[in-house]
Amino acid sequence: MNKQQRIKKNTEFQRVFKKGKSFANRQFIVYLLKGEQEEFRLGLSVSKKVGNAVARNRVKRYIRQAFLELKDDLLPNADYIIIARPQAAKLNFHESKKSLEHVLKIARALPKK
């Protein structure tokens, strides 16, 4: 993911939290804010409740890879913030991707197939 596709600054996170809508399942919470930019942007939040540094980094890698695989189907002009819940640490990549697809379909960011 290139730099234009990342949300890093606290002010950008707060804007999505305040103005966006949230959707959740057991493993992930997604905040979605539609914007005017050309491509989607992604922000990640994985707290220490999820696990140690190895587990947190694994969850973040899984989320980034799932978004790269889903990028053609996602809303292109939206900001996404993904918050991982502690149950996300127990999932492998395919389960994580399936769970993210589920919550993104709830958010209507992915078309239902």
Side-chain angles (χ1 to χ4, degrees):
M1 300 187 79
N2 58 27
K3 286 190 176 186
Q4 290 82 28
Q5 290 179 306
R6 294 190 194 130
I7 299 175
K8 287 277 197 179
K9 294 184 179 165
N10 185 36
T11 55
E12 294 173 338
F13 270 89
Q14 293 305 319
R15 184 175 60 85
V16 176
F17 286 141
K18 287 185 177 129
K19 295 182 180 179
K21 297 205 182 288
S22 67
F23 307 91
N25 63 9
R26 289 180 186 259
Q27 292 83 20
F28 299 104
I29 303 169
V30 173
Y31 282 85
L32 174 64
L33 178 63
K34 294 175 184 165
E36 292 82 34
Q37 68 271 15
E38 292 181 18
E39 51 188 351
F40 73 88
R41 297 190 315 157
L42 177 65
L44 300 175
S45 175
V46 183
S47 76
K48 288 186 179 181
K49 292 178 184 176
V50 173
N52 61 12
V54 175
R56 293 193 306 270
N57 288 330
R58 183 183 314 115
V59 169
K60 289 189 272 190
R61 273 197 317 271
Y62 288 169
I63 294 169
R64 282 191 209 105
Q65 185 61 36
F67 264 78
L68 282 174
E69 291 181 11
L70 296 170
K71 72 179 178 183
D72 294 332
D73 298 331
L74 289 169
L75 292 175
N77 55 352
D79 289 342
Y80 299 91
I81 293 181
I82 310 295
I83 301 172
R85 290 182 164 167
Q87 294 89 345
K90 298 177 182 129
L91 303 177
N92 64 30
F93 171 70
H94 297 291
E95 293 168 333
S96 295
K97 183 179 175 188
K98 190 172 180 180
S99 180
L100 273 171
E101 285 177 350
H102 173 256
V103 74
L104 288 170
K105 285 177 184 172
I106 293 171
R108 294 191 181 116
L110 270 180
K112 293 184 181 178
K113 293 180 182 176

